Amino acid sequence: MTWVKVCGMRTVSDLEAAAEAGADAVGLVLVDGSPRRLTVAEASRLAGATALPAVILTADTSPDRLLELVEQVGASGVQPYGKDSSRASEAAGEAGAFVLRPVRARGPVNLERFPENQTPLLDAYSPDRLGGTGRTVPAEWLPPEGARYVLAGGLDPSNVAGAVARYRPWGVDASSGLESSPGVKDPARIIDFVRNAKGVGE
């Protein structure tokens, strides 16, 4: 069954909707400038309010600082963007954290360059945004059916079932496609997204 992460959580009701629907993880954004940004204290409070594994999103964060944030938030995983993404991902993986390695696709993606303890997360490239573009990755750029990666970008309740059926990624991730306005999640859309993603193949 498809692994599903709901990203950009900001309230306890967001977490409750994700848990009710059967999500596998939630994302907490610590990136400045994002409408979904949380302080470390807010992220820690949310991580402590759910039994779901929490993945923290960071940008330009050193390996040492990333490991500090994992401890401070009580996170299970990391999704590090920016100039230190490679070193930070390596350090987090060695420390035993679940690592979603962001890949801003600009062409066909080769998964062989990533270590086994890192799960690539494929999102469409944008010159002015690290992630959360809301744009889909072209089908011809995706890895072979059944490869271990998480598909993100442009997914919402209306298209996720089709994407899973067509591409068979290991997992899917969504944020802006589950919102009523930037940074404000719609619980009904969260529930529909998770259930539609996991309903494929049943």
Side-chain angles (χ1 to χ4, degrees), residues 68-123:
E68 288 178 358
L69 288 171
V70 168
E71 184 73 20
Q72 290 172 345
V73 172
S76 300
V78 299
Q79 189 174 323
Y81 291 85
K83 62 185 179 182
D84 281 326
S85 177
S86 179
R87 292 193 310 123
S89 294
E90 182 178 354
E94 290 176 353
F98 172 65
V99 179
L100 283 178
R101 176 70 181 275
V103 180
R104 302 166 68 203
R106 303 178 73 170
V109 178
N110 178 9
L111 299 183
E112 293 181 0
R113 64 190 179 94
F114 298 102
E116 290 186 2
N117 64 357
Q118 298 179 20
T119 300
L121 180 139
L122 310 189
D123 202 351

